[in-house]
Amino acid sequence: KIFYVNGIENKIKKSNEEKDKQSNGIVIERKKELSALDEILSKNNVAFVLGHGGCGKSSLVKMYFEQFEEDDIPVRIYRGERFNKDSINEMLVEDHKHFFEAYDSFEKKYFVIDSAEQIVLRKKNADELSLLFRMLKEHHWRIIFTCREEASGQLLSFVQDKTEQMVCSVEVNRLTEKYLQELSNLYRFNLPTDRLLRDYIQIPMELKEYLSQKEDGSQMTYTDFKQREWSEKICGTGTMATKKAREKLILDLAKALYVDKVKPSSVLSMTQEDIIDSLIENHILTRDEDQEIRFSHDLYAEWAVTELLDTSYKETASLIKLYSEYGDTVTGCRCFRQWVSDKIGKNPEIDLAVCETLESTISENLQNELITAVIQSDEVEVFMKDNSQLLLRDNSKILNEMLF
């Protein structure tokens, strides 16, 4: 039997029937990644599982633990934001001395930090985390971090320094075009003709959303798909009043967590419990260890923040103000970057705003985010061509920033 913390086993040990229902019967092969994770943990006590959102980092860890179903192995799993505390006891929900003593008799034991990019390393909690990692090492715990690849650098260096060992990682990548075509042939579904949507469903979680549609989606555009996702998953079914109530609650929650940085309980009322329950039942929301409402997956949070970004920009028409509002959280910053990137080359107003903002006196962080957004855009060539005069100004200052 595997011991999980706070009922996490319900998320980890899903029945085969439920798995098939959620994945539409499609099995994505991860033997190579599982083998790599097993090899790392056989030699080291620490492993990072890296990848973009929705690519299956958490799913890989769940698959890894399924091989131990017949064994007596403790598995403690926490979300990354849980560690933005000033006390180890707050992190573990119990006295840390009792925690380590309780599991000392187990030869194998695992401590998992899911969505570790949400950990904010401040002076106080960095000292506490340093102590925690040292104690985990001394008591022979194997530690697994799942983390967004683009946000792993600082944390990986920190963990490597505090555990005093080389930290290795496993990459969980998007599906390749070739593998996506193989899945299409094997499971007999039509791939979209729209290039942007075809690229988008290379994210496994989005492929599952694409396949969950009742009708053939091959002629659907990326924009149509995103609108349908929001309508079906967030707004749901029911009366127009219910749909609007669900949407408002999701947006209020995202604003509380990623803009105002306050506890959800401070903005959500008891009168919304029925709506909250329906969103939990639909696996959009969940409750954490403190019974606070959270998004069940980072992608749902990002959908909501993207909606907020659209609304906020219409009100401010300023990328500087937009970044000052959303750039203080990991999720907000990531969504800002992706929001700009998605509009580059397609929205002349945003193209102009990016150029004017880069020309003005702005923070290095904002400059880096805008440059990254341009480089990552599918329409980067269009942007470069349309704005060549700006990019070549001052001895190609902005162009050099983008390239180097």
Side-chain angles (χ1 to χ4, degrees):
K1 182 182 179 183
I2 308 175
F3 301 94
Y4 297 94
V5 62
N6 295 328
I8 293 290
E9 72 274 5
N10 292 326
K11 295 181 182 179
I12 302 288
K13 297 171 69 177
K14 296 175 181 175
S15 67
N16 290 331
E17 181 181 347
E18 186 178 355
K19 281 183 182 177
D20 288 343
K21 182 180 178 181
Q22 289 196 352
S23 63
N24 301 285
I26 289 182
V27 177
I28 294 174
E29 187 62 67
R30 294 295 190 191
K31 287 183 180 178
K32 181 180 176 182
E33 291 86 350
L34 285 168
S35 178
L37 181 59
D38 193 48
E39 183 176 355
I40 291 172
L41 290 171
S42 68
K43 299 175 181 177
N44 302 295
N45 285 337
V46 183
F48 270 70
V49 178
L50 304 178
H52 295 293
C55 280
K57 300 180 296 296
S58 301
S59 296
L60 184 76
V61 174
K62 295 170 186 177
M63 291 166 67
Y64 179 74
F65 288 130
E66 285 175 356
Q67 66 182 309
F68 302 133
E69 285 187 343
E70 303 304 318
D71 301 328
D72 243 6
I73 296 179
V75 177
R76 304 286 298 211
I77 301 180
Y78 300 90
R79 294 278 295 176
E81 62 263 22
R82 185 78 189 168
F83 292 82
N84 296 327
K85 307 281 186 180
D86 293 333
S87 164
I88 289 180
N89 290 341
E90 285 186 77
M91 297 175 198
L92 301 178
V93 204
E94 58 192 285
D95 187 283
H96 66 274
K97 291 181 180 178
H98 292 162
F99 170 83
F100 287 107
E101 289 174 359
Y103 298 104
D104 267 343
S105 61
F106 292 90
E107 182 182 353
K108 276 187 178 181
K109 48 211 172 206
Y110 294 85
F111 195 96
V112 181
I113 302 178
D114 196 23
S115 297
E117 72 276 358
Q118 298 291 347
I119 296 176
V120 179
L121 292 174
R122 307 185 310 271
K123 177 65 175 73
K124 177 63 177 177
N125 79 327
D127 291 341
E128 290 285 326
L129 283 169
S130 177
L131 175 60
L132 174 62
F133 294 151
R134 190 169 70 248
M135 293 176 72
L136 286 168
K137 180 184 176 184
E138 289 174 358
H139 289 267
H140 308 294
W141 284 78
R142 291 175 171 88
I143 314 171
I144 301 175
F145 297 85
T146 72
C147 188
R148 293 287 184 107
E149 189 167 13
E150 68 273 17
S152 63
Q154 183 186 14
L155 181 62
L156 197 150
S157 298
F158 177 83
V159 172
Q160 192 163 273
D161 178 53
K162 301 309 176 185
T163 58
E164 298 178 338
Q165 60 178 282
M166 181 65 68
V167 176
C168 298
S169 61
V170 177
E171 291 189 14
V172 182
N173 297 314
R174 294 161 60 109
L175 308 179
T176 64
E177 172 68 22
K178 179 182 178 182
Y179 187 45
L180 189 63
Q181 187 63 62
E182 289 175 359
L183 289 175
S184 170
N185 294 336
L186 180 62
Y187 293 100
R188 299 181 181 180
F189 64 86
N190 295 321
L191 291 172
T193 56
D194 182 80
R195 181 177 60 83
L196 287 178
L197 180 54
R198 197 180 180 105
D199 289 344
Y200 191 56
I201 64 171
Q202 288 180 323
I203 300 172
M205 185 172 175
E206 297 298 352
L207 175 60
K208 293 175 184 178
E209 292 296 335
Y210 174 77
L211 294 174
S212 68
Q213 302 170 109
K214 293 179 180 178
E215 67 272 14
D216 175 36
S218 60
Q219 300 305 310
M220 188 179 294
T221 66
Y222 171 79
T223 302
D224 291 339
F225 179 71
K226 293 289 289 181
Q227 290 174 345
R228 177 170 291 191
E229 273 191 317
W230 182 264
S231 176
E232 293 183 355
K233 299 289 288 189
I234 303 302
C235 298
T237 58
T239 65
M240 184 58 67
T242 299
K243 292 179 179 180
K244 288 183 176 179
R246 282 171 60 107
E247 182 178 46
K248 182 178 185 306
L249 188 146
I250 288 294
L251 295 175
D252 287 346
L253 176 61
K255 187 173 185 296
L257 291 173
Y258 307 115
V259 180
D260 301 330
K261 292 174 287 187
V262 297
K263 288 186 175 182
S265 55
S266 67
V267 297
L268 302 181
S269 69
M270 294 295 292
T271 60
Q272 296 172 295
E273 282 298 319
D274 287 347
I275 299 297
I276 291 171
D277 288 343
S278 72
L279 286 162
I280 290 175
E281 185 177 342
N282 296 151
H283 308 292
I284 305 298
L285 301 181
T286 187
R287 293 185 188 273
D288 66 14
E289 297 89 341
D290 298 323
Q291 293 304 300
E292 288 284 356
I293 300 300
R294 302 283 178 184
F295 288 96
S296 65
H297 196 284
D298 294 341
L299 284 186
Y300 298 141
E302 290 169 14
W303 293 359
V305 174
T306 300
E307 290 288 323
L308 292 174
L309 282 162
D310 274 330
T311 302
S312 295
Y313 187 75
K314 289 174 184 176
E315 295 172 353
T316 64
S318 166
L319 293 178
I320 295 175
K321 290 181 180 178
L322 201 65
Y323 184 73
S324 68
E325 190 175 1
Y326 290 86
D328 280 345
T329 65
V330 173
T331 299
C333 193
R334 185 168 59 237
C335 289
F336 171 84
R337 184 193 317 127
Q338 189 60 51
W339 181 85
V340 174
S341 186
D342 283 345
K343 295 183 183 300
I344 290 290
K346 308 183 192 78
N347 186 321
E349 180 186 349
I350 298 299
D351 285 357
L352 179 61
V354 169
C355 293
E356 291 178 345
T357 304
L358 286 172
E359 278 190 300
S360 62
T361 302
I362 57 176
S363 69
E364 183 178 351
N365 286 342
L366 175 54
Q367 177 179 287
N368 290 339
E369 291 299 338
L370 290 176
I371 288 173
T372 303
V374 171
I375 293 172
Q376 291 180 345
S377 172
D378 292 313
E379 304 295 336
V380 60
E381 291 183 11
V382 175
F383 179 87
M384 294 284 193
K385 182 179 178 181
D386 292 346
N387 300 282
S388 57
Q389 290 185 347
L390 167 67
L391 299 174
L392 295 174
R393 257 184 227 170
D394 298 328
N395 296 318
S396 304
K397 179 183 176 182
I398 294 177
L399 182 60
N400 285 327
E401 290 284 356
M402 289 181 178
L403 296 175
F404 304 108

